[in-house]
mmCIF file of all heavy atoms in Angstrom:
data_model
loop_
_atom_site.group_PDB
_atom_site.id
_atom_site.type_symbol
_atom_site.label_atom_id
_atom_site.label_comp_id
_atom_site.label_asym_id
_atom_site.label_seq_id
_atom_site.Cartn_x
_atom_site.Cartn_y
_atom_site.Cartn_z
ATOM 1 N N GLY A 14 -44.780 -30.300 -23.754
ATOM 2 C CA GLY A 14 -45.692 -30.284 -24.900
ATOM 3 C C GLY A 14 -46.040 -31.687 -25.361
ATOM 4 O O GLY A 14 -45.442 -32.678 -24.918
ATOM 5 N N THR A 15 -46.995 -31.774 -26.279
ATOM 6 C CA THR A 15 -47.479 -33.083 -26.721
ATOM 7 C C THR A 15 -46.421 -33.902 -27.450
ATOM 8 O O THR A 15 -46.555 -35.118 -27.550
ATOM 9 C CB THR A 15 -48.703 -32.920 -27.640
ATOM 10 O OG1 THR A 15 -48.378 -31.998 -28.694
ATOM 11 C CG2 THR A 15 -49.904 -32.403 -26.879
ATOM 12 N N VAL A 16 -45.364 -33.263 -27.949
ATOM 13 C CA VAL A 16 -44.318 -34.013 -28.645
ATOM 14 C C VAL A 16 -43.590 -34.963 -27.689
ATOM 15 O O VAL A 16 -42.976 -35.946 -28.127
ATOM 16 C CB VAL A 16 -43.328 -33.044 -29.331
ATOM 17 C CG1 VAL A 16 -42.395 -32.397 -28.312
ATOM 18 C CG2 VAL A 16 -42.519 -33.756 -30.416
ATOM 19 N N THR A 17 -43.674 -34.696 -26.375
ATOM 20 C CA THR A 17 -42.995 -35.562 -25.397
ATOM 21 C C THR A 17 -43.926 -36.637 -24.833
ATOM 22 O O THR A 17 -43.521 -37.378 -23.928
ATOM 23 C CB THR A 17 -42.446 -34.721 -24.226
ATOM 24 O OG1 THR A 17 -43.532 -34.035 -23.578
ATOM 25 C CG2 THR A 17 -41.433 -33.708 -24.719
ATOM 26 N N LEU A 18 -45.158 -36.737 -25.374
ATOM 27 C CA LEU A 18 -46.089 -37.761 -24.908
ATOM 28 C C LEU A 18 -45.996 -39.003 -25.773
ATOM 29 O O LEU A 18 -45.299 -39.035 -26.785
ATOM 30 C CB LEU A 18 -47.521 -37.216 -24.936
ATOM 31 C CG LEU A 18 -47.809 -35.940 -24.146
ATOM 32 C CD1 LEU A 18 -49.281 -35.561 -24.293
ATOM 33 C CD2 LEU A 18 -47.449 -36.113 -22.677
ATOM 34 N N PHE A 19 -46.701 -40.038 -25.364
ATOM 35 C CA PHE A 19 -46.852 -41.288 -26.119
ATOM 36 C C PHE A 19 -45.527 -42.057 -26.213
ATOM 37 O O PHE A 19 -44.561 -41.711 -25.553
ATOM 38 C CB PHE A 19 -47.460 -41.031 -27.501
ATOM 39 C CG PHE A 19 -48.744 -40.259 -27.442
ATOM 40 C CD1 PHE A 19 -48.781 -38.901 -27.750
ATOM 41 C CD2 PHE A 19 -49.912 -40.870 -27.029
ATOM 42 C CE1 PHE A 19 -49.963 -38.180 -27.665
ATOM 43 C CE2 PHE A 19 -51.112 -40.155 -26.943
ATOM 44 C CZ PHE A 19 -51.128 -38.807 -27.269
ATOM 45 N N LYS A 20 -45.515 -43.104 -27.042
ATOM 46 C CA LYS A 20 -44.359 -44.002 -27.068
ATOM 47 C C LYS A 20 -43.132 -43.380 -27.722
ATOM 48 O O LYS A 20 -42.011 -43.801 -27.477
ATOM 49 C CB LYS A 20 -44.728 -45.319 -27.749
ATOM 50 C CG LYS A 20 -45.131 -45.208 -29.205
ATOM 51 C CD LYS A 20 -45.548 -46.567 -29.759
ATOM 52 C CE LYS A 20 -45.927 -46.484 -31.234
ATOM 53 N NZ LYS A 20 -47.164 -45.693 -31.437
ATOM 54 N N GLY A 21 -43.326 -42.406 -28.619
ATOM 55 C CA GLY A 21 -42.184 -41.646 -29.126
ATOM 56 C C GLY A 21 -41.808 -41.855 -30.576
ATOM 57 O O GLY A 21 -41.041 -41.063 -31.119
ATOM 58 N N LEU A 22 -42.314 -42.891 -31.240
ATOM 59 C CA LEU A 22 -41.895 -43.161 -32.623
ATOM 60 C C LEU A 22 -42.386 -42.081 -33.581
ATOM 61 O O LEU A 22 -41.608 -41.544 -34.382
ATOM 62 C CB LEU A 22 -42.388 -44.534 -33.083
ATOM 63 C CG LEU A 22 -41.693 -45.752 -32.492
ATOM 64 C CD1 LEU A 22 -42.101 -47.006 -33.244
ATOM 65 C CD2 LEU A 22 -40.181 -45.609 -32.519
ATOM 66 N N ASP A 23 -43.680 -41.775 -33.544
ATOM 67 C CA ASP A 23 -44.210 -40.731 -34.423
ATOM 68 C C ASP A 23 -43.655 -39.366 -34.033
ATOM 69 O O ASP A 23 -43.377 -38.529 -34.901
ATOM 70 C CB ASP A 23 -45.742 -40.699 -34.349
ATOM 71 C CG ASP A 23 -46.363 -41.987 -34.870
ATOM 72 O OD1 ASP A 23 -45.754 -42.616 -35.755
ATOM 73 O OD2 ASP A 23 -47.448 -42.371 -34.385
ATOM 74 N N GLU A 24 -43.483 -39.165 -32.750
ATOM 75 C CA GLU A 24 -43.042 -37.863 -32.257
ATOM 76 C C GLU A 24 -41.592 -37.578 -32.646
ATOM 77 O O GLU A 24 -41.233 -36.423 -32.897
ATOM 78 C CB GLU A 24 -43.209 -37.797 -30.739
ATOM 79 C CG GLU A 24 -44.658 -37.754 -30.267
ATOM 80 C CD GLU A 24 -45.403 -39.078 -30.421
ATOM 81 O OE1 GLU A 24 -44.730 -40.141 -30.423
ATOM 82 O OE2 GLU A 24 -46.634 -39.058 -30.549
ATOM 83 N N MET A 25 -40.744 -38.619 -32.721
ATOM 84 C CA MET A 25 -39.354 -38.350 -33.094
ATOM 85 C C MET A 25 -39.252 -37.942 -34.570
ATOM 86 O O MET A 25 -38.319 -37.237 -34.961
ATOM 87 C CB MET A 25 -38.470 -39.568 -32.795
ATOM 88 C CG MET A 25 -38.585 -40.725 -33.741
ATOM 89 S SD MET A 25 -37.544 -42.097 -33.204
ATOM 90 C CE MET A 25 -37.663 -43.203 -34.632
ATOM 91 N N GLN A 26 -40.226 -38.364 -35.388
ATOM 92 C CA GLN A 26 -40.265 -37.886 -36.770
ATOM 93 C C GLN A 26 -40.512 -36.377 -36.799
ATOM 94 O O GLN A 26 -39.943 -35.660 -37.627
ATOM 95 C CB GLN A 26 -41.368 -38.614 -37.551
ATOM 96 C CG GLN A 26 -41.234 -40.125 -37.610
ATOM 97 C CD GLN A 26 -40.086 -40.581 -38.485
ATOM 98 O OE1 GLN A 26 -39.647 -39.857 -39.373
ATOM 99 N NE2 GLN A 26 -39.595 -41.782 -38.240
ATOM 100 N N GLN A 27 -41.358 -35.894 -35.890
ATOM 101 C CA GLN A 27 -41.608 -34.449 -35.814
ATOM 102 C C GLN A 27 -40.326 -33.691 -35.482
ATOM 103 O O GLN A 27 -40.079 -32.608 -36.024
ATOM 104 C CB GLN A 27 -42.666 -34.157 -34.751
ATOM 105 C CG GLN A 27 -44.038 -34.764 -35.026
ATOM 106 C CD GLN A 27 -45.012 -34.486 -33.885
ATOM 107 O OE1 GLN A 27 -44.966 -33.426 -33.265
ATOM 108 N NE2 GLN A 27 -45.876 -35.444 -33.598
ATOM 109 N N LEU A 28 -39.514 -34.256 -34.582
ATOM 110 C CA LEU A 28 -38.254 -33.592 -34.223
ATOM 111 C C LEU A 28 -37.339 -33.473 -35.431
ATOM 112 O O LEU A 28 -36.710 -32.428 -35.652
ATOM 113 C CB LEU A 28 -37.536 -34.375 -33.121
ATOM 114 C CG LEU A 28 -38.206 -34.522 -31.761
ATOM 115 C CD1 LEU A 28 -37.241 -35.175 -30.783
ATOM 116 C CD2 LEU A 28 -38.663 -33.182 -31.225
ATOM 117 N N ALA A 29 -37.248 -34.555 -36.209
ATOM 118 C CA ALA A 29 -36.321 -34.570 -37.345
ATOM 119 C C ALA A 29 -36.788 -33.654 -38.474
ATOM 120 O O ALA A 29 -35.964 -33.030 -39.154
ATOM 121 C CB ALA A 29 -36.152 -35.999 -37.856
ATOM 122 N N PHE A 30 -38.111 -33.567 -38.686
ATOM 123 C CA PHE A 30 -38.637 -32.770 -39.793
ATOM 124 C C PHE A 30 -38.711 -31.279 -39.467
ATOM 125 O O PHE A 30 -38.656 -30.445 -40.367
ATOM 126 C CB PHE A 30 -40.025 -33.273 -40.199
ATOM 127 C CG PHE A 30 -39.996 -34.517 -41.032
ATOM 128 C CD1 PHE A 30 -40.672 -35.659 -40.626
ATOM 129 C CD2 PHE A 30 -39.288 -34.564 -42.223
ATOM 130 C CE1 PHE A 30 -40.640 -36.821 -41.379
ATOM 131 C CE2 PHE A 30 -39.252 -35.719 -42.985
ATOM 132 C CZ PHE A 30 -39.925 -36.854 -42.570
ATOM 133 N N SER A 31 -38.853 -30.968 -38.190
ATOM 134 C CA SER A 31 -39.051 -29.566 -37.816
ATOM 135 C C SER A 31 -37.765 -28.761 -38.014
ATOM 136 O O SER A 31 -36.656 -29.246 -37.790
ATOM 137 C CB SER A 31 -39.498 -29.467 -36.362
ATOM 138 O OG SER A 31 -39.597 -28.117 -35.985
ATOM 139 N N GLN A 32 -37.935 -27.525 -38.424
ATOM 140 C CA GLN A 32 -36.803 -26.618 -38.603
ATOM 141 C C GLN A 32 -36.825 -25.479 -37.574
ATOM 142 O O GLN A 32 -36.047 -24.531 -37.691
ATOM 143 C CB GLN A 32 -36.849 -26.017 -40.018
ATOM 144 C CG GLN A 32 -36.852 -27.037 -41.144
ATOM 145 C CD GLN A 32 -35.549 -27.815 -41.231
ATOM 146 O OE1 GLN A 32 -34.481 -27.249 -41.042
ATOM 147 N NE2 GLN A 32 -35.641 -29.121 -41.484
ATOM 148 N N VAL A 33 -37.710 -25.561 -36.611
ATOM 149 C CA VAL A 33 -37.915 -24.416 -35.705
ATOM 150 C C VAL A 33 -37.339 -24.639 -34.314
ATOM 151 O O VAL A 33 -37.246 -23.687 -33.533
ATOM 152 C CB VAL A 33 -39.422 -24.074 -35.590
ATOM 153 C CG1 VAL A 33 -39.989 -23.702 -36.937
ATOM 154 C CG2 VAL A 33 -40.205 -25.232 -34.976
ATOM 155 N N PHE A 34 -36.939 -25.871 -33.971
ATOM 156 C CA PHE A 34 -36.482 -26.141 -32.615
ATOM 157 C C PHE A 34 -35.032 -25.695 -32.429
ATOM 158 O O PHE A 34 -34.192 -25.864 -33.324
ATOM 159 C CB PHE A 34 -36.623 -27.623 -32.275
ATOM 160 C CG PHE A 34 -38.045 -28.109 -32.254
ATOM 161 C CD1 PHE A 34 -38.411 -29.282 -32.906
ATOM 162 C CD2 PHE A 34 -39.028 -27.396 -31.588
ATOM 163 C CE1 PHE A 34 -39.720 -29.730 -32.894
ATOM 164 C CE2 PHE A 34 -40.345 -27.834 -31.561
ATOM 165 C CZ PHE A 34 -40.684 -28.998 -32.220
ATOM 166 N N SER A 35 -34.737 -25.193 -31.251
ATOM 167 C CA SER A 35 -33.386 -24.733 -30.917
ATOM 168 C C SER A 35 -32.684 -25.761 -30.036
ATOM 169 O O SER A 35 -33.262 -26.796 -29.671
ATOM 170 C CB SER A 35 -33.470 -23.396 -30.182
ATOM 171 O OG SER A 35 -34.156 -23.566 -28.943
ATOM 172 N N VAL A 36 -31.448 -25.454 -29.660
ATOM 173 C CA VAL A 36 -30.691 -26.336 -28.766
ATOM 174 C C VAL A 36 -31.446 -26.535 -27.449
ATOM 175 O O VAL A 36 -31.568 -27.667 -26.955
ATOM 176 C CB VAL A 36 -29.290 -25.736 -28.498
ATOM 177 C CG1 VAL A 36 -28.581 -26.512 -27.390
ATOM 178 C CG2 VAL A 36 -28.452 -25.747 -29.759
ATOM 179 N N SER A 37 -31.961 -25.444 -26.889
ATOM 180 C CA SER A 37 -32.672 -25.549 -25.607
ATOM 181 C C SER A 37 -33.963 -26.352 -25.739
ATOM 182 O O SER A 37 -34.342 -27.082 -24.812
ATOM 183 C CB SER A 37 -32.975 -24.150 -25.055
ATOM 184 O OG SER A 37 -33.726 -23.394 -25.985
ATOM 185 N N ASP A 38 -34.639 -26.244 -26.898
ATOM 186 C CA ASP A 38 -35.856 -27.044 -27.119
ATOM 187 C C ASP A 38 -35.534 -28.531 -27.121
ATOM 188 O O ASP A 38 -36.207 -29.325 -26.455
ATOM 189 C CB ASP A 38 -36.507 -26.659 -28.457
ATOM 190 C CG ASP A 38 -37.105 -25.265 -28.443
ATOM 191 O OD1 ASP A 38 -37.553 -24.828 -27.371
ATOM 192 O OD2 ASP A 38 -37.107 -24.616 -29.503
ATOM 193 N N TYR A 39 -34.519 -28.925 -27.893
ATOM 194 C CA TYR A 39 -34.145 -30.342 -27.967
ATOM 195 C C TYR A 39 -33.705 -30.871 -26.600
ATOM 196 O O TYR A 39 -34.037 -31.994 -26.223
ATOM 197 C CB TYR A 39 -33.017 -30.544 -28.984
ATOM 198 C CG TYR A 39 -33.443 -30.415 -30.424
ATOM 199 C CD1 TYR A 39 -32.779 -29.544 -31.286
ATOM 200 C CD2 TYR A 39 -34.495 -31.174 -30.933
ATOM 201 C CE1 TYR A 39 -33.149 -29.429 -32.617
ATOM 202 C CE2 TYR A 39 -34.877 -31.061 -32.266
ATOM 203 C CZ TYR A 39 -34.209 -30.192 -33.106
ATOM 204 O OH TYR A 39 -34.588 -30.076 -34.416
ATOM 205 N N LEU A 40 -32.969 -30.039 -25.861
ATOM 206 C CA LEU A 40 -32.537 -30.454 -24.524
ATOM 207 C C LEU A 40 -33.742 -30.654 -23.614
ATOM 208 O O LEU A 40 -33.817 -31.639 -22.863
ATOM 209 C CB LEU A 40 -31.588 -29.407 -23.935
ATOM 210 C CG LEU A 40 -31.076 -29.688 -22.513
ATOM 211 C CD1 LEU A 40 -30.302 -30.998 -22.463
ATOM 212 C CD2 LEU A 40 -30.208 -28.534 -22.026
ATOM 213 N N LEU A 41 -34.704 -29.721 -23.693
ATOM 214 C CA LEU A 41 -35.920 -29.846 -22.889
ATOM 215 C C LEU A 41 -36.669 -31.126 -23.234
ATOM 216 O O LEU A 41 -37.091 -31.875 -22.332
ATOM 217 C CB LEU A 41 -36.824 -28.632 -23.130
ATOM 218 C CG LEU A 41 -38.185 -28.658 -22.423
ATOM 219 C CD1 LEU A 41 -38.010 -28.515 -20.917
ATOM 220 C CD2 LEU A 41 -39.105 -27.570 -22.968
ATOM 221 N N PHE A 42 -36.820 -31.414 -24.524
ATOM 222 C CA PHE A 42 -37.533 -32.627 -24.952
ATOM 223 C C PHE A 42 -36.841 -33.884 -24.415
ATOM 224 O O PHE A 42 -37.507 -34.807 -23.935
ATOM 225 C CB PHE A 42 -37.615 -32.696 -26.475
ATOM 226 C CG PHE A 42 -38.404 -31.578 -27.108
ATOM 227 C CD1 PHE A 42 -38.117 -31.153 -28.407
ATOM 228 C CD2 PHE A 42 -39.427 -30.950 -26.424
ATOM 229 C CE1 PHE A 42 -38.835 -30.124 -28.992
ATOM 230 C CE2 PHE A 42 -40.159 -29.924 -27.011
ATOM 231 C CZ PHE A 42 -39.856 -29.508 -28.291
ATOM 232 N N ALA A 43 -35.511 -33.919 -24.511
ATOM 233 C CA ALA A 43 -34.763 -35.096 -24.061
ATOM 234 C C ALA A 43 -34.923 -35.306 -22.555
ATOM 235 O O ALA A 43 -35.189 -36.429 -22.096
ATOM 236 C CB ALA A 43 -33.284 -34.954 -24.423
ATOM 237 N N VAL A 44 -34.779 -34.234 -21.777
ATOM 238 C CA VAL A 44 -34.848 -34.348 -20.318
ATOM 239 C C VAL A 44 -36.268 -34.696 -19.872
ATOM 240 O O VAL A 44 -36.470 -35.574 -19.013
ATOM 241 C CB VAL A 44 -34.364 -33.041 -19.661
ATOM 242 C CG1 VAL A 44 -34.634 -33.058 -18.156
ATOM 243 C CG2 VAL A 44 -32.877 -32.832 -19.934
ATOM 244 N N ILE A 45 -37.270 -34.030 -20.463
ATOM 245 C CA ILE A 45 -38.664 -34.296 -20.083
ATOM 246 C C ILE A 45 -39.056 -35.727 -20.444
ATOM 247 O O ILE A 45 -39.695 -36.436 -19.650
ATOM 248 C CB ILE A 45 -39.609 -33.292 -20.775
ATOM 249 C CG1 ILE A 45 -39.438 -31.889 -20.203
ATOM 250 C CG2 ILE A 45 -41.068 -33.739 -20.648
ATOM 251 C CD1 ILE A 45 -39.893 -31.727 -18.775
ATOM 252 N N LYS A 46 -38.683 -36.176 -21.634
ATOM 253 C CA LYS A 46 -39.045 -37.534 -22.059
ATOM 254 C C LYS A 46 -38.389 -38.578 -21.165
ATOM 255 O O LYS A 46 -39.017 -39.573 -20.785
ATOM 256 C CB LYS A 46 -38.641 -37.756 -23.521
ATOM 257 C CG LYS A 46 -39.165 -39.053 -24.123
ATOM 258 C CD LYS A 46 -40.663 -39.012 -24.304
ATOM 259 C CE LYS A 46 -41.200 -40.210 -25.050
ATOM 260 N NZ LYS A 46 -42.656 -40.125 -25.255
ATOM 261 N N LEU A 47 -37.124 -38.368 -20.828
ATOM 262 C CA LEU A 47 -36.431 -39.330 -19.963
ATOM 263 C C LEU A 47 -37.050 -39.328 -18.569
ATOM 264 O O LEU A 47 -37.236 -40.390 -17.961
ATOM 265 C CB LEU A 47 -34.942 -38.988 -19.889
ATOM 266 C CG LEU A 47 -34.054 -40.044 -19.234
ATOM 267 C CD1 LEU A 47 -34.100 -41.364 -20.009
ATOM 268 C CD2 LEU A 47 -32.615 -39.552 -19.126
ATOM 269 N N ALA A 48 -37.392 -38.138 -18.060
ATOM 270 C CA ALA A 48 -38.050 -38.066 -16.749
ATOM 271 C C ALA A 48 -39.411 -38.758 -16.788
ATOM 272 O O ALA A 48 -39.771 -39.498 -15.863
ATOM 273 C CB ALA A 48 -38.209 -36.602 -16.332
ATOM 274 N N ALA A 49 -40.162 -38.537 -17.881
ATOM 275 C CA ALA A 49 -41.475 -39.180 -18.016
ATOM 276 C C ALA A 49 -41.340 -40.696 -18.105
ATOM 277 O O ALA A 49 -42.159 -41.442 -17.540
ATOM 278 C CB ALA A 49 -42.191 -38.639 -19.250
ATOM 279 N N LEU A 50 -40.308 -41.166 -18.793
ATOM 280 C CA LEU A 50 -40.047 -42.605 -18.881
ATOM 281 C C LEU A 50 -39.774 -43.187 -17.497
ATOM 282 O O LEU A 50 -40.325 -44.233 -17.133
ATOM 283 C CB LEU A 50 -38.853 -42.836 -19.816
ATOM 284 C CG LEU A 50 -38.150 -44.197 -19.785
ATOM 285 C CD1 LEU A 50 -39.108 -45.313 -20.137
ATOM 286 C CD2 LEU A 50 -36.951 -44.200 -20.722
ATOM 287 N N VAL A 51 -38.944 -42.520 -16.716
ATOM 288 C CA VAL A 51 -38.611 -42.998 -15.373
ATOM 289 C C VAL A 51 -39.853 -43.004 -14.479
ATOM 290 O O VAL A 51 -40.115 -43.975 -13.758
ATOM 291 C CB VAL A 51 -37.496 -42.131 -14.752
ATOM 292 C CG1 VAL A 51 -37.302 -42.476 -13.274
ATOM 293 C CG2 VAL A 51 -36.192 -42.326 -15.504
ATOM 294 N N VAL A 52 -40.644 -41.930 -14.530
ATOM 295 C CA VAL A 52 -41.858 -41.848 -13.704
ATOM 296 C C VAL A 52 -42.852 -42.942 -14.088
ATOM 297 O O VAL A 52 -43.408 -43.629 -13.220
ATOM 298 C CB VAL A 52 -42.506 -40.453 -13.843
ATOM 299 C CG1 VAL A 52 -43.886 -40.433 -13.181
ATOM 300 C CG2 VAL A 52 -41.609 -39.384 -13.226
#
C-alpha cells in the first residue's frame, strides 16, 4: 500500500496515529519497506 512508499517520515506518523492496524499489518509494512529499501 501507499503507506510503504516514499521516504517514510510522513508515513510513519500514519502508523503511530492509526488504531486499525494489526500485528500482521505492521509486520507486512516492515518487511515490504525493508525490501523496497534494498531494491
Side-chain angles (χ1 to χ4, degrees):
T15 52
V16 75
T17 60
L18 303 180
F19 307 103
K20 63 183 181 293
L22 287 191
D23 296 330
E24 290 72 26
M25 75 183 189
Q26 301 289 337
Q27 297 177 35
L28 297 187
F30 282 123
S31 176
Q32 303 293 321
V33 299
F34 296 133
S35 63
V36 170
S37 57
D38 291 329
Y39 287 127
L40 179 60
L41 176 69
F42 297 152
V44 171
I45 290 292
K46 189 69 173 182
L47 191 61
L50 164 60
V51 171
V52 170

